[in-house]
Amino acid sequence: MKKVAINGYGTIGKRVADAVSAQNDLKIIGVSKTKPDFEARMAVEKGYELYISIPEREKLFQEAGIEISGTVDEMLHDADIVVDCTPEGIGAQNLLKYKEIGIKAIFQGGEKHDNVGLSFNSFANYDDSWGKDHVRVVSCNTTGLCRTLKPIHDLCGIKKVRAVMVRRGGDPSQVNKGPINAVVPNPPTVPSHHGPDLKTVMYDVNINTVALLVPTTLMHQHNLMVELENQVEVDDIVETLDKTSRVMLVKAKEGLGSTAEIMEYAKELGRSRNDLFEIPVWQESLNIVDGELYYMQAVHQESDVVPENVDAIRAMLEIEDNAEKSIQKTNKAMGIL
Amino acid sequence: MKKVAINGYGTIGKRVADAVSAQNDLKIIGVSKTKPDFEARMAVEKGYELYISIPEREKLFQEAGIEISGTVDEMLHDADIVVDCTPEGIGAQNLLKYKEIGIKAIFQGGEKHDNVGLSFNSFANYDDSWGKDHVRVVSCNTTGLCRTLKPIHDLCGIKKVRAVMVRRGGDPSQVNKGPINAVVPNPPTVPSHHGPDLKTVMYDVNINTVALLVPTTLMHQHNLMVELENQVEVDDIVETLDKTSRVMLVKAKEGLGSTAEIMEYAKELGRSRNDLFEIPVWQESLNIVDGELYYMQAVHQESDVVPENVDAIRAMLEIEDNAEKSIQKTNKAMGIL
């Protein structure tokens, strides 16, 4: 069993910790927090060894009655790999430390590709991370784009993609984020960074993206317009996406006509935290007009990258050299459809 | 002074009534309501003659202490033209009555084009409504598309338009509408009806649209991708839109980075109801990539069609045969920038 440390037990970190724990070839040897908050307390209650990022704060954890096992440096000393789930920008600082210690490290999409040098998606470029030391799992939005565009690309080739990314203003627990009642072009410049980010894993795709924020917390929503290289029928796309792992077709007419209803469906799956690791695509939206494929999909921003983090570990630690086998193993352990 | 009746003094009707009253060649001879609500009371307080659609309800208005001047049939008898601002679908029923009476009538975008037979936008096809009896002013969204696409089409030709329409869930006072926290593909099928609707006034444009609802009340927001026929620079587009009537360029960096901030700007204009008749286009969003123009704009759904209703009256009553002169006259009276 390879030993995995989680640096930053927040929205993504706690999910990656549980997903890694569910695998039979990996184990969590510790998780870290900077503050003695409810997540820190629950990490200990769940049985994770808790390490602190700022040694000077040991007393705060003691006062809160939260038992710590040591510092992050000590945690890293024992691990084969660390998954850095610290807030955007902190990972780049931590990279220096990881290099000094000589530990392999995975970063999240909030970090810049150029700072890490290599980005990852299980379906697009698993092999490129084989044995590598520092890898970045692309963001939730880019993962969502990749999950559906890669199989379409493989099926019939993609000439050009245009995508409008309607992003959630904040996660459900982010009470200080907005907007409450506005549409915010974000960035107000076009194209947005999402297109270039997709190219860090699907190297040859021609894509331009437009992005905005809206007052919702549940999911991002994407509107895709894909000029195809070769002619196919809508049914071919439906069949392809239907058999693609970590993608699910949903029907508005079955009561899944919005992101809220899709997250209600996720609750029925009975998973921890009601997560939806799959990318739902509205089947009714799939249409080909003048050789151009249109569709709409959604992204559960808190969880869709979690299985990719597990696969990245297997590639970097040279546990499994076949992407498809790692994906299947991860899926099975996580209960992914 | 030509005599105008307003059938339906609601969100659009009350605004058209005020806009018509501001013109020196038109006057309002009456407005109608079905219910003795606050709008009915304020119509009388403003000095409009109030007529009722359902004669049996006269007692309800008496009980509410709201003075009525008669029935809608009596109002129509005295008018040269009626602007029908009744809820979606009612206009089609009223059309039969208008034909029976022999009165000219304007309908709103909620009515189907095929039921009316002719659609109108001041910039796209003013002349086609000259002397006509029944005309439909296209919806707020279609008006928004037309306002910016027409001058671009005139400047450099349009090969193909793709647009993603991010629509407000409801108007600020529509307390029973949603969504509260969801993105709703609406319709979940692609393309949406907005593309075909634009073709009812810009007959030869090639456009596909995708539409969704989000939890906001202030404005719609549009994301446009326009393949151009002839090569121009972004500056040419900026210059063109800058001099286009009823279009305004706004800058995110000047604090106008969202629909909420734009509506705050509208308040500073000091207009009745804080309306924004112009279509704001985010200047930073204007960009040309590989011969394709990208931009983002917003639509104040409660007011952008109001000046078009005034112009439609002039065309149908043969008051002004020059579209540009009617537009200027309407703008001046309404204080449009």
Side-chain angles (χ1 to χ4, degrees), chain B residues 32 159 165 294 324 329:
Chain B
S32 84
K159 213 182 293 176
M165 330 280 290
Y294 291 82
E324 190 46 47
K329 198 170 171 65

Side-chain angles (χ1 to χ4, degrees), chain B residues 143-158:
Chain B
T143 297
L145 290 174
C146 196
R147 287 261 186 86
T148 53
L149 288 172
K150 184 59 172 55
I152 292 166
H153 189 265
D154 290 348
L155 175 71
C156 54
I158 289 176

Side-chain angles (χ1 to χ4, degrees), chain A residues 162 181 183 190 216 287 292, chain B residues 162 181 190 216 259 287 292:
Chain A
R162 298 165 181 86
N181 187 10
V183 176
V190 181
T216 188
N287 196 10
E292 183 165 8
Chain B
R162 297 167 182 86
N181 186 10
V190 181
T216 187
T259 54
N287 195 11
E292 184 164 9

Side-chain angles (χ1 to χ4, degrees), chain A residues 231-249:
Chain A
Q231 206 182 315
V232 291
E233 302 295 320
V234 173
D235 285 349
D236 301 324
I237 302 284
V238 169
E239 194 186 319
T240 296
L241 293 180
D242 198 33
K243 70 182 184 203
T244 299
S245 180
R246 298 179 196 168
V247 170
M248 56 191 280
L249 293 168

